[in-house]
Amino acid sequence: MKKIFILVLTTLLLFSCASTPNNSNKQANSNETYSAKAEKPQYKGDGIRVAISVPSFGDTSKEKKWIPFYVQDSLTRNFAHYTKMTVLDRTNESVIKAELLLSESGEYSDENAVQYGQLTNAQYLVVGNIMKLQSSYDFSFRINDVETNEIRSTASGRYTITEIENGFAINEITKQLLEGLEIDLSQEENSELEKTNSQIDFSSQNLARGMVAEKNGNYVEALDFYFKTDGDTQTIAQQNVQLLLNGTIPTDSVKEQAEFLQKQQEKWKKIFKDLEIYLLHKLPVVVYDFSTVTEELNSDLKSARFTIEPGLKIIPNQTAVIVWKEVREAWEKLCNDKNYAPLVQNLRADSFRILSVEHEYIAVVKLFDEDGSQVKTLGYGEIRQRIILKYNNGYEIKSLKKYYNEREYRKITFGNVKLNDIEGNLYPKVYSVEKSYGGGGTPNKLIVNPCVYSVEEWENYLKK
């Protein structure tokens, strides 16, 4: 009996010892497989060239024309940030040529998508359509393989204007398109794309608005928007400025040179004309502080003198100064290029108006009662201040804060306010801003539309 027990025990031990190495090998193999899986590199689309076209847009309202350009720019930045694909943007020379050849509006249909991709040497092309609904916009996007026209990825959704402005719509469309391409996104990247920005991306919007203005031939308006960008979009905006104000004369034939200079002449003639109007309205910024109103009884005991302090000041608009300086420097560069001599000669009279600028502005302040009715006064409170721009090498563009600090507030006085016309408290308001011009007896005046800020609004503006 003992022999049998020993034999069985020995057999079990042998079987147990024999099976142990096999389990160990299985565990090791499992660990190796798991390790290999964990160490698998993320796919980011390496080596793929992708072009992102301006989506077609079904909203005819002028104030919303910036949306497709904003969407294109935002998708371009997202693809560049979240993938390793070579993303061709609007500053790429082949993209510029493709847009000029295929469509004046910069929007692309199914029929020419393949041609667009071939012109840009892109492998993938992102195309889209945005339709205006009653209270939202319908987005429909896809990624086409340029060679086969096969659809590689799609994305769609309905978004409000707020969701477009704060980037939520763009991020959601980006996520869908990248998932369709099986692009790997980290947990952090997914969180970024799912996050809703509390701040509207004004910089990208200004870039888009500038592109629309430039496409419509409103070059000075475009420059104004381009110089209101920052961060990544500022780089693209600066490149657009250079392309707008500078050009390379073709050397192939005299005929081509003449055609080029004719187009440049038309463009610069419009720039000079629009810049003059732009500076009239946009050069001044009015800041007022009407925090203290003192009254003093006149000797007739029927009227009073009202003094408002610290008062009001008129300062230069930094963006307008930058626009003027950039146009002035670009023109100076053309004047020094003998190839542009015919153009410079033809536009000498037009350019004279922007060589130097001197404007006198008048801010008109009036008194109102609690009901909003204007109080009769002998004359109005007027503040006159000049803004002078004179070009020279090294012309300094000052900060908004410095422009503000360099000018003192001018107090405003109403000398003869009838007591019978006063009911309750009086409130001063900036009634209008005028541009004074012309000499002689009575100067002419033109109503202008500058930015007007209370001191509190101005301080908040500076913080932004």
Side-chain angles (χ1 to χ4, degrees), residues 28-29 51 100 246 295 304:
N29 290 336
L100 290 173
N246 299 285
E295 53 188 54

Side-chain angles (χ1 to χ4, degrees), residues 119-336:
L119 288 168
T120 58
N121 198 27
Q123 296 164 274
Y124 287 174
L125 177 64
V126 180
V127 294
N129 179 54
I130 303 174
M131 290 296 297
K132 176 72 173 73
L133 304 178
Q134 187 172 359
S135 59
S136 62
Y137 289 86
D138 184 77
F139 278 51
S140 177
F141 280 76
R142 68 181 185 275
I143 299 178
N144 281 27
D145 185 309
V146 172
E147 186 175 352
T148 65
N149 207 26
E150 179 183 354
I151 297 175
R152 293 292 186 179
S153 183
T154 61
S156 61
R158 290 186 178 181
Y159 306 100
T160 64
I161 185 64
T162 300
E163 289 173 327
I164 295 172
E165 289 180 334
N166 65 21
F168 174 78
I170 312 300
N171 286 351
E172 192 165 273
I173 293 296
T174 300
K175 195 163 185 272
Q176 291 180 42
L177 290 174
L178 295 185
E179 285 175 353
L181 291 178
E182 298 183 347
I183 299 293
D184 295 321
L185 296 172
S186 66
Q187 185 175 352
E188 182 181 353
E189 289 172 332
N190 272 307
S191 297
E192 287 178 4
L193 287 172
E194 291 169 0
K195 183 171 62 176
T196 301
N197 297 321
S198 58
Q199 298 290 330
I200 294 175
D201 186 359
F202 288 111
S203 183
S204 294
Q205 284 190 30
N206 285 332
L207 176 64
R209 291 176 191 272
M211 290 176 175
V212 174
E214 183 179 351
K215 189 167 286 289
N216 292 333
N218 300 320
Y219 306 116
V220 174
E221 182 184 353
L223 292 172
D224 180 83
F225 282 122
Y226 287 151
F227 289 122
K228 291 176 180 174
T229 58
D230 55 32
D232 295 337
T233 55
Q234 190 175 54
T235 303
I236 300 174
Q238 288 172 342
Q239 292 170 332
N240 288 357
V241 170
Q242 293 304 311
L243 291 171
L244 193 161
L245 294 177
N246 299 285
T248 304
I249 297 181
T251 57
D252 295 342
S253 68
V254 176
K255 184 178 180 181
E256 287 186 353
Q257 291 176 15
E259 290 174 352
F260 173 82
L261 287 174
Q262 285 171 2
K263 290 180 180 179
Q264 289 292 306
Q265 182 170 308
E266 290 173 7
K267 181 175 75 173
W268 275 96
K269 192 176 185 68
K270 190 169 193 311
I271 287 175
F272 292 141
K273 180 181 177 182
D274 290 353
L275 182 61
E276 187 176 18
I277 298 171
Y278 168 83
L279 289 175
L280 277 175
H281 293 279
K282 298 298 183 181
L283 183 57
V285 173
V286 176
V287 185
Y288 65 89
D289 184 351
F290 297 160
S291 55
T292 303
V293 179
T294 58
E295 53 188 54
E296 181 183 351
L297 191 63
N298 290 333
S299 59
D300 63 4
L301 303 182
K302 295 180 180 180
S303 63
R305 178 187 182 89
F306 286 80
T307 303
I308 303 163
E309 297 177 290
L312 178 147
K313 64 172 74 177
I314 303 173
I315 65 175
N317 178 346
Q318 185 196 50
T319 302
V321 177
I322 292 172
V323 169
W324 170 79
K325 182 174 183 286
E326 287 290 327
V327 170
R328 187 66 184 81
E329 288 182 345
W331 178 247
E332 189 75 15
K333 184 177 178 182
L334 295 186
C335 290
N336 293 327

